[in-house]
Amino acid sequence: MNTIITIAREYGSGGRIIGKKLAKALGFAFYDKELIEMAAEKIGFSTEYVRENEEKKAFSFISNFYGVSGELPASDRIFIAQSGVIKEIAEKENCVIVGRCADYVLSDHPCCLNIFIHAPIEDRARRVFEEYDEDVPNIKGYIQKMDKKRSSYYNYMTQNKWGQAENYHLSINSSLGIDLTVKMIKAAVEEFRKNK
């Protein structure tokens, strides 16, 4: 049985780099933006279109009922395609998956460990400015907007609450440092695997 680690994260918390370093430390495959290309190929959309629409939810009441054309909204089709890709990956290999509601998609997987990465807003603002190279006038407002977007999408698609501790096996504050956070999660994964 493959071990899957899902990582949900606050914007600027370093969740992606933590996931990448964790995958390397464990010898696991790593998936994040690669899922965009894989989903695009599955449904015949361009990668750019999927990237622009993957975390958008359908806002209108009508679109939730397949709209006028009788088709699901693009965001729902993308979510379904990404979910299919995530399930295929979980069957194929041990891996770390960042975002894309993977914790929800793999909720029935018997060997899936779900992590949530968070950090104080000051730490996240510094990381966004220094590491992500994003210079915006109101950086804290921008971070809150990005978190709201993620939360809104996750809550809409899963009917769960994004960031709520009970939805994850482990919630960790990355202000401890990226490398220490990776070591702590790696230790948890190794113990988790022993008990499976």
Side-chain angles (χ1 to χ4, degrees), residues 21-182:
K21 287 187 170 204
L22 178 66
K24 186 175 181 183
L26 291 166
F28 284 15
F30 174 76
Y31 292 94
D32 180 18
K33 295 177 182 176
E34 300 81 358
L35 294 170
I36 295 171
E37 292 173 14
M38 295 165 86
E41 189 177 321
K42 199 173 188 84
I43 53 178
F45 288 166
S46 73
T47 303
E48 293 75 26
Y49 184 82
V50 172
R51 188 177 290 112
E52 288 170 11
N53 290 278
E54 71 165 335
E55 287 190 347
K56 289 183 181 173
K57 61 180 187 176
F59 289 102
S60 78
F61 181 77
I62 295 171
S63 70
N64 287 335
F65 289 93
Y66 305 100
V68 179
S69 67
E71 288 187 359
L72 282 169
S75 59
D76 289 13
R77 291 172 63 196
I78 292 166
F79 176 78
I80 291 166
Q82 282 187 340
S83 297
V85 168
I86 287 167
K87 288 177 181 178
E88 287 168 17
I89 289 167
E91 288 297 313
K92 186 176 75 169
E93 60 191 337
N94 295 323
C95 62
V96 174
I97 301 173
V98 175
R100 277 90 194 166
C101 307
D103 59 306
Y104 173 80
V105 171
L106 297 175
S107 58
D108 293 333
H109 193 287
C111 201
C112 183
L113 187 68
N114 303 313
I115 315 288
F116 187 80
I117 309 288
H118 59 95
I121 191 116
E122 292 77 17
D123 288 1
R124 295 193 285 144
R126 189 179 64 253
R127 180 170 288 110
V128 168
F129 181 72
E130 293 173 0
E131 296 176 29
Y132 299 1
D133 199 28
E134 291 185 35
D135 189 12
V136 290
N138 177 6
I139 204 158
K140 289 183 181 178
Y142 178 71
I143 289 168
Q144 289 166 342
K145 180 182 170 187
M146 295 301 287
D147 279 349
K148 187 175 181 183
K149 181 181 170 186
R150 284 182 180 171
S151 172
S152 213
Y153 176 78
Y154 181 90
N155 297 349
Y156 170 79
M157 289 298 183
T158 70
Q159 307 303 306
N160 286 340
K161 191 162 172 56
W162 181 79
Q164 190 168 310
E166 65 197 47
N167 293 328
Y168 308 93
H169 296 104
L170 180 64
S171 181
I172 190 163
N173 186 333
S174 63
S175 66
L176 294 166
I178 297 294
D179 291 337
L180 179 55
T181 302
V182 170

